[in-house]
């Protein structure tokens, strides 16, 4: 639907399939650079309408956001790509495919959101610094070096790898 009224304002488009509202699409002129003001405008439309997804575009740059309905309502940018950048074209096709009617009916965007959340650095840190990972590394190190190491030793090395961005050497 075009020019969809939300409160006293209008979202450019709302994607609705089988009476379910999936996405707010906010379109700006191609010569306008997308800004935080545009993001918040779009997120506000979605929050007021109870819609999880927002696509903000100026026809060249496309940014997909997930509205997180917590107190306060927040959002996460899931992906963003510029069609002028040839290196991003292949990936952009995959993102566009997730925004099709068929994909929405199969809840592929929600699956993508779950994947996105699982791979977020804050979430991965919980696992990286877990007892299970420490035990796995301790066993591998004992097998390789014949020595035992404490959790503190192992986690200090993991921290050093992350902070110093040490590359894996074969």
């Amino acid at each position: 639907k075009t020019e969809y009224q939300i409160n006293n304002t209008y979202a450019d488009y709302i994607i609705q399939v089988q009476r379910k509202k999936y996405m707010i699409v906010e379109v700006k002129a191609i010569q306008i650079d997308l800004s935080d003001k545009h993001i918040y405008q779009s997120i506000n439309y979605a929050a007021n309408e109870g819609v999880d997804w927002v696509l903000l575009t100026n026809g060249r740059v496309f940014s997909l956001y997930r509205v997180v309905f917590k107190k306060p309502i927040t959002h996460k940018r899931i992906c963003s790509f510029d069609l002028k950048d040839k290196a991003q074209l292949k990936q952009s096709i995959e993102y566009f495919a997730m925004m099709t009617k068929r994909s929405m009916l199969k809840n592929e965007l929600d699956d993508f959101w779950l994947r996105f959340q699982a791979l977020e650095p804050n979430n991965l840190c919980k696992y990286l610094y877990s007892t299970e990972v420490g035990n796995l590394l301790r066993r591998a190190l004992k097998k390789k070096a014949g020595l035992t190491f404490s959790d503190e030793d192992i986690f200090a090395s993991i921290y050093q790898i992350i902070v110093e961005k040490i590359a894996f050497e074969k």
Side-chain angles (χ1 to χ4, degrees), residues 6-20:
I6 300 173
N7 295 334
N8 292 329
T9 59
Y10 290 89
D12 292 329
Y13 299 93
I14 188 162
I15 307 298
Q16 184 173 319
V17 181
Q18 296 179 345
R19 297 184 187 207
K20 181 180 178 191

PDB file of all heavy atoms in Angstrom, residues 6-20:
ATOM      1  N   ILE A   6      -0.293   6.503   9.258  1.00  0.00           N
ATOM      2  CA  ILE A   6       0.026   6.058  10.609  1.00  0.00           C
ATOM      3  C   ILE A   6      -0.087   7.284  11.498  1.00  0.00           C
ATOM      4  O   ILE A   6       0.682   8.235  11.336  1.00  0.00           O
ATOM      5  CB  ILE A   6       1.444   5.439  10.684  1.00  0.00           C
ATOM      6  CG1 ILE A   6       1.557   4.242   9.749  1.00  0.00           C
ATOM      7  CG2 ILE A   6       1.782   5.074  12.123  1.00  0.00           C
ATOM      8  CD1 ILE A   6       2.946   3.678   9.627  1.00  0.00           C
ATOM      9  N   ASN A   7      -1.042   7.254  12.414  1.00  0.00           N
ATOM     10  CA  ASN A   7      -1.376   8.423  13.225  1.00  0.00           C
ATOM     11  C   ASN A   7      -1.683   9.582  12.279  1.00  0.00           C
ATOM     12  O   ASN A   7      -2.528   9.459  11.421  1.00  0.00           O
ATOM     13  CB  ASN A   7      -0.280   8.741  14.236  1.00  0.00           C
ATOM     14  CG  ASN A   7      -0.136   7.635  15.280  1.00  0.00           C
ATOM     15  OD1 ASN A   7      -1.098   6.911  15.552  1.00  0.00           O
ATOM     16  ND2 ASN A   7       1.040   7.517  15.854  1.00  0.00           N
ATOM     17  N   ASN A   8      -0.986  10.693  12.398  1.00  0.00           N
ATOM     18  CA  ASN A   8      -1.262  11.849  11.531  1.00  0.00           C
ATOM     19  C   ASN A   8      -0.204  12.029  10.455  1.00  0.00           C
ATOM     20  O   ASN A   8      -0.088  13.103   9.882  1.00  0.00           O
ATOM     21  CB  ASN A   8      -1.364  13.126  12.367  1.00  0.00           C
ATOM     22  CG  ASN A   8      -2.597  13.112  13.257  1.00  0.00           C
ATOM     23  OD1 ASN A   8      -3.609  12.529  12.891  1.00  0.00           O
ATOM     24  ND2 ASN A   8      -2.500  13.731  14.426  1.00  0.00           N
ATOM     25  N   THR A   9       0.587  10.997  10.192  1.00  0.00           N
ATOM     26  CA  THR A   9       1.631  11.074   9.172  1.00  0.00           C
ATOM     27  C   THR A   9       1.442   9.924   8.194  1.00  0.00           C
ATOM     28  O   THR A   9       0.583   9.063   8.370  1.00  0.00           O
ATOM     29  CB  THR A   9       3.035  11.000   9.808  1.00  0.00           C
ATOM     30  OG1 THR A   9       3.137   9.765  10.519  1.00  0.00           O
ATOM     31  CG2 THR A   9       3.282  12.163  10.760  1.00  0.00           C
ATOM     32  N   TYR A  10       2.288   9.895   7.164  1.00  0.00           N
ATOM     33  CA  TYR A  10       2.163   8.876   6.125  1.00  0.00           C
ATOM     34  C   TYR A  10       3.508   8.208   5.862  1.00  0.00           C
ATOM     35  O   TYR A  10       4.485   8.893   5.566  1.00  0.00           O
ATOM     36  CB  TYR A  10       1.654   9.495   4.814  1.00  0.00           C
ATOM     37  CG  TYR A  10       0.211   9.939   4.908  1.00  0.00           C
ATOM     38  CD1 TYR A  10      -0.105  11.219   5.343  1.00  0.00           C
ATOM     39  CD2 TYR A  10      -0.818   9.067   4.564  1.00  0.00           C
ATOM     40  CE1 TYR A  10      -1.427  11.634   5.437  1.00  0.00           C
ATOM     41  CE2 TYR A  10      -2.144   9.466   4.643  1.00  0.00           C
ATOM     42  CZ  TYR A  10      -2.434  10.752   5.091  1.00  0.00           C
ATOM     43  OH  TYR A  10      -3.755  11.141   5.172  1.00  0.00           O
ATOM     44  N   ALA A  11       3.515   6.898   5.957  1.00  0.00           N
ATOM     45  CA  ALA A  11       4.682   6.126   5.511  1.00  0.00           C
ATOM     46  C   ALA A  11       4.556   5.975   4.007  1.00  0.00           C
ATOM     47  O   ALA A  11       3.437   5.892   3.475  1.00  0.00           O
ATOM     48  CB  ALA A  11       4.689   4.757   6.187  1.00  0.00           C
ATOM     49  N   ASP A  12       5.671   5.942   3.312  1.00  0.00           N
ATOM     50  CA  ASP A  12       5.606   5.837   1.854  1.00  0.00           C
ATOM     51  C   ASP A  12       4.925   4.550   1.407  1.00  0.00           C
ATOM     52  O   ASP A  12       4.042   4.572   0.550  1.00  0.00           O
ATOM     53  CB  ASP A  12       7.012   5.936   1.244  1.00  0.00           C
ATOM     54  CG  ASP A  12       7.593   7.325   1.416  1.00  0.00           C
ATOM     55  OD1 ASP A  12       6.820   8.305   1.429  1.00  0.00           O
ATOM     56  OD2 ASP A  12       8.827   7.432   1.540  1.00  0.00           O
ATOM     57  N   TYR A  13       5.349   3.431   1.978  1.00  0.00           N
ATOM     58  CA  TYR A  13       4.760   2.136   1.618  1.00  0.00           C
ATOM     59  C   TYR A  13       4.691   1.245   2.849  1.00  0.00           C
ATOM     60  O   TYR A  13       5.528   1.346   3.749  1.00  0.00           O
ATOM     61  CB  TYR A  13       5.621   1.397   0.579  1.00  0.00           C
ATOM     62  CG  TYR A  13       5.782   2.128  -0.720  1.00  0.00           C
ATOM     63  CD1 TYR A  13       6.874   2.961  -0.932  1.00  0.00           C
ATOM     64  CD2 TYR A  13       4.850   1.990  -1.742  1.00  0.00           C
ATOM     65  CE1 TYR A  13       7.031   3.649  -2.121  1.00  0.00           C
ATOM     66  CE2 TYR A  13       5.001   2.668  -2.941  1.00  0.00           C
ATOM     67  CZ  TYR A  13       6.087   3.493  -3.121  1.00  0.00           C
ATOM     68  OH  TYR A  13       6.240   4.167  -4.292  1.00  0.00           O
ATOM     69  N   ILE A  14       3.721   0.353   2.839  1.00  0.00           N
ATOM     70  CA  ILE A  14       3.700  -0.727   3.805  1.00  0.00           C
ATOM     71  C   ILE A  14       3.514  -2.014   3.007  1.00  0.00           C
ATOM     72  O   ILE A  14       2.665  -2.083   2.115  1.00  0.00           O
ATOM     73  CB  ILE A  14       2.608  -0.558   4.889  1.00  0.00           C
ATOM     74  CG1 ILE A  14       2.781  -1.624   5.972  1.00  0.00           C
ATOM     75  CG2 ILE A  14       1.220  -0.596   4.287  1.00  0.00           C
ATOM     76  CD1 ILE A  14       2.076  -1.309   7.267  1.00  0.00           C
ATOM     77  N   ILE A  15       4.358  -2.991   3.273  1.00  0.00           N
ATOM     78  CA  ILE A  15       4.263  -4.285   2.604  1.00  0.00           C
ATOM     79  C   ILE A  15       3.349  -5.156   3.457  1.00  0.00           C
ATOM     80  O   ILE A  15       3.642  -5.410   4.625  1.00  0.00           O
ATOM     81  CB  ILE A  15       5.647  -4.956   2.452  1.00  0.00           C
ATOM     82  CG1 ILE A  15       6.641  -4.017   1.775  1.00  0.00           C
ATOM     83  CG2 ILE A  15       5.520  -6.292   1.740  1.00  0.00           C
ATOM     84  CD1 ILE A  15       6.300  -3.604   0.379  1.00  0.00           C
ATOM     85  N   GLN A  16       2.270  -5.579   2.854  1.00  0.00           N
ATOM     86  CA  GLN A  16       1.273  -6.382   3.557  1.00  0.00           C
ATOM     87  C   GLN A  16       0.965  -7.608   2.700  1.00  0.00           C
ATOM     88  O   GLN A  16       0.673  -7.489   1.516  1.00  0.00           O
ATOM     89  CB  GLN A  16       0.018  -5.546   3.778  1.00  0.00           C
ATOM     90  CG  GLN A  16      -1.060  -6.218   4.564  1.00  0.00           C
ATOM     91  CD  GLN A  16      -2.195  -5.248   4.876  1.00  0.00           C
ATOM     92  OE1 GLN A  16      -1.965  -4.091   5.199  1.00  0.00           O
ATOM     93  NE2 GLN A  16      -3.417  -5.729   4.773  1.00  0.00           N
ATOM     94  N   VAL A  17       1.056  -8.786   3.313  1.00  0.00           N
ATOM     95  CA  VAL A  17       0.763 -10.034   2.623  1.00  0.00           C
ATOM     96  C   VAL A  17      -0.238 -10.805   3.472  1.00  0.00           C
ATOM     97  O   VAL A  17       0.010 -11.027   4.662  1.00  0.00           O
ATOM     98  CB  VAL A  17       2.043 -10.877   2.404  1.00  0.00           C
ATOM     99  CG1 VAL A  17       1.731 -12.165   1.663  1.00  0.00           C
ATOM    100  CG2 VAL A  17       3.102 -10.072   1.655  1.00  0.00           C
ATOM    101  N   GLN A  18      -1.324 -11.202   2.847  1.00  0.00           N
ATOM    102  CA  GLN A  18      -2.390 -11.935   3.539  1.00  0.00           C
ATOM    103  C   GLN A  18      -2.802 -11.234   4.836  1.00  0.00           C
ATOM    104  O   GLN A  18      -2.862 -11.819   5.898  1.00  0.00           O
ATOM    105  CB  GLN A  18      -1.978 -13.382   3.809  1.00  0.00           C
ATOM    106  CG  GLN A  18      -1.760 -14.178   2.549  1.00  0.00           C
ATOM    107  CD  GLN A  18      -1.327 -15.598   2.809  1.00  0.00           C
ATOM    108  OE1 GLN A  18      -0.908 -15.957   3.907  1.00  0.00           O
ATOM    109  NE2 GLN A  18      -1.431 -16.428   1.774  1.00  0.00           N
ATOM    110  N   ARG A  19      -2.986  -9.930   4.730  1.00  0.00           N
ATOM    111  CA  ARG A  19      -3.460  -9.074   5.819  1.00  0.00           C
ATOM    112  C   ARG A  19      -2.459  -8.904   6.965  1.00  0.00           C
ATOM    113  O   ARG A  19      -2.776  -8.306   7.980  1.00  0.00           O
ATOM    114  CB  ARG A  19      -4.802  -9.548   6.354  1.00  0.00           C
ATOM    115  CG  ARG A  19      -5.872  -9.482   5.311  1.00  0.00           C
ATOM    116  CD  ARG A  19      -7.190  -9.858   5.880  1.00  0.00           C
ATOM    117  NE  ARG A  19      -8.153  -9.930   4.787  1.00  0.00           N
ATOM    118  CZ  ARG A  19      -9.424  -9.726   4.931  1.00  0.00           C
ATOM    119  NH1 ARG A  19      -9.916  -9.431   6.111  1.00  0.00           N
ATOM    120  NH2 ARG A  19     -10.218  -9.825   3.902  1.00  0.00           N
ATOM    121  N   LYS A  20      -1.275  -9.441   6.816  1.00  0.00           N
ATOM    122  CA  LYS A  20      -0.245  -9.229   7.827  1.00  0.00           C
ATOM    123  C   LYS A  20       0.719  -8.150   7.322  1.00  0.00           C
ATOM    124  O   LYS A  20       1.201  -8.219   6.192  1.00  0.00           O
ATOM    125  CB  LYS A  20       0.538 -10.509   8.115  1.00  0.00           C
ATOM    126  CG  LYS A  20       1.605 -10.304   9.175  1.00  0.00           C
ATOM    127  CD  LYS A  20       2.388 -11.542   9.492  1.00  0.00           C
ATOM    128  CE  LYS A  20       3.457 -11.199  10.524  1.00  0.00           C
ATOM    129  NZ  LYS A  20       4.426 -12.250  10.709  1.00  0.00           N
TER     130      LYS A  20
END
